[in-house]
Amino acid sequence: KNEVEQSPQNLTAQEGEFITINCSYSVGISALHWLQQHPGGGIVSLFMLSSGKKKHGRLIATINIQEKHSSLHITASHPRDSAVYICAAYSKAAGNKLTFGGGTRVLVKP
Amino acid sequence: KAGVTQTPRYLIKTRGQQVTLSCSPISGHRSVSWYQQTPGQGLQFLFEYFSETQRNKGNFPGRFSGRQFSNSRSEMNVSTLELGDSALYLCASSSSDRGLTNEKLFFGSGTQLSVL
């Protein structure tokens, strides 16, 4: 079982819809990254969270360290949000390394 | 400011050979980390270097090694290549000594390695 699980694996939304991607992890962590990967491979770092909530434009990320869960929300989704979203957890307990979720492929239709 | 530069962009090797990949971080960034991405396993962490020292290491065999130079440029080497080493190899740099827990990781475009 992967230490970091993402759901759903795939998501299709209509333009303007609210999107939520979930990430859960099994070990204690000190930080969690949300990344965006577009076709062609380029990865962009969206957020790093160690507690609470962060917002950037239409993107909101939250984390609950005790419940070992994080969510990425996209408000008013747009076709340009179509990408793979990946969470990555940093854990000292797991050997000071980043462990990645399997990714959520998001398609936003106009 | 130039982004993270990885060379070469594409590489084809045969089983048993070795390969060296290069990563030049953003100017001023001292942390460089390496990742392997495959369709089957997704993204996996290889190692992180800071100020020429390996700080963190993932669960890869000893055939995978790396180093960092005094100008923060980093190389990773894979010896005795296997078919399963075919992957996109990505590096990322960050600006502070917090490395993997820094606010932003800046990724290069990757080196696509094919092992025949």
Side-chain angles (χ1 to χ4, degrees):
Chain A
K1 186 180 185 296
N2 195 9
E3 294 171 350
V4 180
E5 298 282 348
Q6 278 187 245
S7 63
Q9 283 186 297
N10 296 282
L11 185 158
T12 300
Q14 288 297 132
E15 183 173 356
E17 287 185 341
F18 183 85
I19 290 171
T20 294
I21 301 166
N22 296 298
C23 177
S24 60
Y25 46 90
S26 57
V27 296
I29 70 167
S30 51
L32 185 134
H33 292 270
W34 280 102
L35 310 172
Q36 179 192 56
Q37 185 170 31
H38 279 283
I43 295 179
V44 174
S45 180
L46 298 174
F47 297 102
M48 191 283 290
L49 296 154
S50 53
S51 65
K53 176 179 173 179
K54 288 189 177 179
K55 184 176 189 293
H56 180 70
R58 295 178 295 102
L59 300 177
I60 303 168
T62 63
I63 191 167
N64 185 317
I65 292 287
Q66 287 75 25
E67 293 187 6
K68 296 186 169 65
H69 182 267
S70 177
S71 293
L72 177 68
H73 307 285
I74 306 174
T75 63
S77 59
H78 190 274
R80 65 175 173 265
D81 297 326
S82 297
V84 177
Y85 293 84
I86 303 166
C87 65
Y90 177 80
S91 172
K92 291 180 182 176
N96 292 317
K97 59 176 182 155
L98 278 177
T99 304
F100 293 85
T104 295
R105 188 174 301 275
V106 172
L107 175 63
V108 182
K109 294 182 176 180
Chain B
K1 223 177 199 183
V4 178
T5 304
Q6 289 189 247
T7 56
R9 187 73 180 90
Y10 300 95
L11 204 48
I12 299 174
K13 292 285 187 178
T14 55
R15 276 183 301 174
Q17 287 186 311
Q18 74 164 20
V19 67
T20 299
L21 312 181
S22 177
C23 174
S24 294
I26 291 171
S27 178
H29 287 194
R30 290 194 291 163
S31 168
V32 175
S33 48
W34 287 90
Y35 308 86
Q36 182 197 65
Q37 187 174 35
T38 60
Q41 298 293 320
L43 270 165
Q44 297 183 86
F45 169 72
L46 280 155
F47 27 66
E48 186 223 358
Y49 285 86
F50 181 81
S51 291
E52 302 180 65
T53 300
Q54 187 181 87
R55 252 192 334 193
N56 300 300
K57 190 176 189 305
N59 300 327
F60 278 80
R63 300 186 297 107
F64 292 81
S65 62
R67 58 178 176 168
Q68 187 180 33
F69 301 95
S70 57
N71 62 357
S72 293
R73 189 178 73 84
S74 178
E75 288 181 347
M76 68 161 281
N77 184 77
V78 188
S79 62
T80 319
L81 283 166
E82 300 176 0
L83 295 179
D85 297 332
S86 294
L88 179 67
Y89 290 89
L90 293 151
C91 74
S93 72
S94 78
S95 60
S96 83
D97 60 358
R98 294 178 61 189
L100 298 178
T101 59
N102 197 32
E103 284 289 329
K104 285 273 189 184
L105 298 174
F106 294 85
F107 285 82
S109 298
T111 294
Q112 184 67 53
L113 172 65
S114 297
V115 182
L116 306 178

